Amino acid sequence: MPTLRLALSQVNPSVGDLAGNADLVRSWTRQAADAGAQLVLFPEMMLTGYPVEDLVFRRSFVAASRAAVERLAADLATDGLGEVPVVVGYLDADGPPQVSGDAEPGRGARNAAALLHRGVVAARYFKHHLPNYGVFDEDRYFVPGDTLTVVRIGGVDVALTICEDLWQAGGPFAAARQAGVGLVVNINGSPYELNKDDIRLPLVRRRAAEAGAAIAYVNMIGGQDELVFEGDSMIVTADGELLTRAPQFVEHLLVHDVELPAATAATTTETVADGLHIVHSTLDGIPAAPTGPAVTGGLIEPVADEAEVWQALVLGLRDYVNKNRFPSVVLGLSGGIDSAVVAALAVDALGPDRVVGVSLPSQHSSEHSREDAADLAKRTGLDYRVEPIQPMVDGFLANLSLSGVAVENLQARVRGVILMALSNQEGHLVLTTGNKSELAVGYSTLYGDSVGGFNPVKDVWKTLIWRLAKWRNTDAARRGETAPIPENSIGKPPSAELSPGQLDSDSLPDYDVLDPILIGYVDGDLGRDGLVESGHDPAVVDKVLRLVDTAEYKRRQSAPGTKISMKAFGRDRRLPITNRWREHG
């Protein structure tokens, strides 16, 4: 059986940076070639970054992408890498955008893969299955391909596929079986969700069985707005054996020798299978078959949920800040658990010298909260400042007749004004710290504690916030480092401290009760009856659902934040603000 040395390049492209992404391809192909690779794979939409969203409709961008892939092929040859076949994702088009007046049926923008060899694009493939759920709107942007591209490389027939092609039965993988291929390449821009890695391996195994072929699955890493990509690239044999698996959330070159069946079918025939035309071609002159001991990429075992989520949040925050070229971040440090977790995430992502924490005490701020904020700053080494807000609040109250909740919200808004002023003066990105539970029920002040440009814990339930804090401290102890989060911030009852003796539990059910209801309603789309049948108290369910339904206008104005769940607010969950539907008991 022939052996192909595959190199799966798990890298971090940036949307719109065609030149920078091409440079990544060139440098990682050099590393792969130095490792003796005979086929190098890069993620979905590698050249443009992913997702490009409405840039698809900009014809100048499409033209630039098409020119970039041709130029990249030539540059690889100039680099002395022309003999190494390279698969790279990019944006193509064979007609006007589907939203334009001159659109043509069956033609338009394409989510494409190019096989680069000897200075040219030797083969192309257009994604067949286009996802249109959750964060994906690919039916809005692309036209599906109707051809399976099969290329003979080193005596092995290799089929090209892209991301969603793997997630749907039939289509390219069924056609690959009929074509008798030995390897299916699947390039991905598959966003992270908690426990998705547990789903991915069984899925790849099912598709390997469907295709009767080995699968090389390569996924990007990095943050893009709300999305974060974790990598988790792998190679699986036709009978489901996991040969090698890359680590999550880091760039990595996964090199592995794979024994594959020799191609036997004719390469000149064009057939139709499972609704797809199968087009064959052959590459000549690839690097020689590897000699010596087999190269193995190793198997990285998935980590615990808390470690996985922490890595996702750190990477999402780091890339949002760095790719948007913010020099630093600023956040309010209340001494509570949410701001403590966000501060620790920020320090892990950016380093303490790029994080400013501001204590903003009022007359209702407890002494222990002030001490906890200062303690966290000492533990993490961030730039710590204290800006008392009471004189400013008193100035407002001297000129406005306010009472009750209006005074509470005034304090939050004064804090927001101070943080935004520091942002304007010093260039920091303001981080807001509201968790998903608070966002769900509207437990926040618009233009107050909700103010900010990015929210690292927007998609993190309150109960998970506590788990993350405990995990991070335990992990620090394991490594012999100072735990970043004060134990008092973890253990004390949560409070906004906007009125005397205030606790979250005055307004909300305990989070151990609240979060399961929210998870069922928001993530699971359960109605009122389904939640009650699950064992939740009907009166509590009615209160929680009323709070969620009436807070949509607040969520619509919230800052973006890293998605870690199956249904994040914003990109995933899209409900009308003006909406009279209610779940009735």
Side-chain angles (χ1 to χ4, degrees), residues 282-302:
T282 300
L283 285 191
D284 295 319
I286 72 167
T291 59
V295 170
T296 58
L299 285 168
I300 301 297
E301 293 297 325

Side-chain angles (χ1 to χ4, degrees), residues 269 291 375 441 553:
T269 59
T291 59
D375 186 18
V441 296
Y553 77 102

Side-chain angles (χ1 to χ4, degrees), residues 194 309 313 337-338 341 433-441 456-469 511-512 514-525 544 548 555 562 564-569 573:
L194 178 59
V309 169
L313 297 176
I337 187 65
D338 296 324
V341 166
T433 61
N435 60 70
K436 190 174 184 178
S437 306
E438 294 173 348
L439 286 168
V441 296
V457 295
K458 180 178 182 177
D459 199 29
V460 183
W461 299 110
K462 183 75 169 191
T463 47
L464 180 53
I465 289 280
W466 274 305
R467 286 167 51 199
L468 290 174
Y511 287 106
D512 286 340
L514 176 63
D515 278 3
I517 297 174
L518 293 174
I519 290 168
Y521 190 50
V522 174
D523 288 356
D525 283 321
V544 171
V548 174
R555 288 189 292 274
T562 302
I564 62 160
S565 74
M566 64 182 296
K567 188 163 286 189
F569 289 127
R573 189 177 188 269

Side-chain angles (χ1 to χ4, degrees), residues 19 28 51-52 68 114 119 168 175-176 295 311 323 327 344-345 388 407 472 480 496 507 515 524 533 538 540 571:
W28 283 78
V52 294
Q168 304 293 332
V295 170
Q311 291 178 72
K323 290 182 178 181
L345 286 166
V407 176
R472 182 62 183 85
S507 305
D515 278 3
E533 290 170 4
V540 177
R571 294 185 68 100

Side-chain angles (χ1 to χ4, degrees), residues 343-571:
L345 286 166
V347 170
D348 282 359
L350 305 170
D353 57 325
R354 297 178 66 191
V355 181
V356 178
V358 186
S359 174
L360 299 156
S362 74
Q363 64 177 343
H364 302 302
S365 299
S366 63
E367 186 64 29
H368 66 74
S369 290
R370 302 184 197 195
E371 292 172 352
D372 293 340
D375 186 18
L376 180 138
K378 182 178 179 181
R379 289 166 177 265
T380 59
L382 56 75
D383 179 354
Y384 181 59
R385 309 178 191 180
V386 180
E387 297 286 350
I389 69 167
Q390 198 58 48
M392 291 171 251
V393 172
D394 291 342
F396 275 99
L397 294 178
N399 292 278
L400 287 171
S401 179
L402 300 177
S403 63
V405 173
V407 176
E408 295 181 20
N409 289 342
L410 174 62
Q411 296 169 67
R413 291 189 176 115
V414 168
R415 289 176 172 134
V417 168
I418 293 172
L419 292 174
M420 288 307 303
L422 290 172
S423 171
N424 295 155
Q425 183 70 25
E426 301 175 7
H428 315 295
L429 171 69
V430 178
L431 301 182
T432 184
T433 61
N435 60 70
K436 190 174 184 178
S437 306
E438 294 173 348
L439 286 168
V441 296
Y443 194 62
S444 63
T445 301
L446 273 181
Y447 324 120
D449 54 312
S450 65
V451 73
F454 193 77
N455 183 354
V457 295
K458 180 178 182 177
D459 199 29
V460 183
W461 299 110
K462 183 75 169 191
T463 47
L464 180 53
I465 289 280
W466 274 305
R467 286 167 51 199
L468 290 174
K470 293 173 183 177
W471 172 85
R472 182 62 183 85
N473 279 1
T474 300
D475 186 62
R478 178 183 62 82
R479 293 184 289 173
E481 299 173 355
T482 300
I485 300 171
E487 285 299 324
N488 196 44
S489 293
I490 298 173
K492 65 186 175 184
S495 170
E497 293 193 332
L498 296 173
S499 62
Q502 184 182 46
L503 296 174
D504 288 9
S505 56
D506 297 336
S507 305
L508 301 173
D510 288 340
Y511 287 106
D512 286 340
V513 174
L514 176 63
D515 278 3
I517 297 174
L518 293 174
I519 290 168
Y521 190 50
V522 174
D523 288 356
D525 283 321
L526 284 178
R528 192 254 188 197
D529 293 343
L531 291 166
V532 173
E533 290 170 4
S534 299
H536 300 295
D537 181 86
V540 177
V541 168
D542 290 339
K543 176 182 179 178
V544 171
L545 267 54
R546 182 172 63 253
L547 291 171
V548 174
D549 291 345
T550 56
E552 186 62 36
Y553 77 102
K554 287 189 177 182
R555 288 189 292 274
R556 191 69 64 89
Q557 300 178 67
S558 63
T562 302
K563 166 185 162 65
I564 62 160
S565 74
M566 64 182 296
K567 188 163 286 189
F569 289 127
R571 294 185 68 100

Side-chain angles (χ1 to χ4, degrees), residues 56 59 93-105 107-109 141 143:
V56 167
R59 299 189 191 200
D94 56 3
Q98 288 296 293
V99 296
S100 62
D102 55 348
E104 305 172 26
R107 295 182 178 274
Y141 298 121
V143 175

Side-chain angles (χ1 to χ4, degrees), residues 192-429:
Y192 169 76
E193 293 172 8
L194 178 59
N195 297 324
K196 195 173 187 178
D197 56 336
D198 298 331
I199 298 170
R200 186 176 287 125
L201 178 56
L203 175 70
V204 174
R205 284 173 166 154
R206 288 198 299 274
R207 291 297 161 264
E210 183 178 16
I215 295 177
Y217 171 100
V218 60
N219 191 25
M220 66 176 60
I221 69 117
Q224 170 57 32
D225 296 345
E226 300 98 325
L227 303 181
V228 65
F229 303 89
E230 87 270 34
D232 197 30
S233 303
M234 67 183 76
I235 301 173
V236 171
T237 66
D239 60 5
E241 180 187 359
L242 177 62
L243 296 179
T244 185
R245 192 170 194 172
Q248 295 175 294
F249 304 108
V250 294
E251 290 191 310
H252 185 77
L253 186 68
L254 189 64
V255 182
H256 195 90
D257 289 347
V258 185
E259 286 191 354
L260 297 163
T264 57
T267 61
T268 56
T269 59
E270 180 174 334
T271 57
V272 177
D274 213 68
L276 292 172
H277 299 278
I278 302 175
V279 177
H280 297 262
S281 61
T282 300
L283 285 191
D284 295 319
I286 72 167
T291 59
V295 170
T296 58
L299 285 168
I300 301 297
E301 293 297 325
V303 297
D305 287 353
E306 292 82 5
E308 184 179 294
V309 169
W310 192 272
Q311 291 178 72
L313 297 176
V314 165
L315 180 57
L317 173 58
R318 179 188 297 131
D319 274 6
Y320 191 87
V321 171
N322 289 341
K323 290 182 178 181
N324 287 292
R325 298 177 179 175
F326 289 102
S328 50
V329 298
V330 62
L331 71 151
L333 287 181
S334 68
I337 187 65
D338 296 324
S339 66
V341 166
V342 171
L345 286 166
V347 170
D348 282 359
L350 305 170
D353 57 325
R354 297 178 66 191
V355 181
V356 178
V358 186
S359 174
L360 299 156
S362 74
Q363 64 177 343
H364 302 302
S365 299
S366 63
E367 186 64 29
H368 66 74
S369 290
R370 302 184 197 195
E371 292 172 352
D372 293 340
D375 186 18
L376 180 138
K378 182 178 179 181
R379 289 166 177 265
T380 59
L382 56 75
D383 179 354
Y384 181 59
R385 309 178 191 180
V386 180
E387 297 286 350
I389 69 167
Q390 198 58 48
M392 291 171 251
V393 172
D394 291 342
F396 275 99
L397 294 178
N399 292 278
L400 287 171
S401 179
L402 300 177
S403 63
V405 173
V407 176
E408 295 181 20
N409 289 342
L410 174 62
Q411 296 169 67
R413 291 189 176 115
V414 168
R415 289 176 172 134
V417 168
I418 293 172
L419 292 174
M420 288 307 303
L422 290 172
S423 171
N424 295 155
Q425 183 70 25
E426 301 175 7
H428 315 295
L429 171 69

Side-chain angles (χ1 to χ4, degrees), residues 84-98:
V84 183
V86 175
V87 177
V88 61
Y90 74 107
L91 172 63
D92 204 336
D94 56 3
Q98 288 296 293

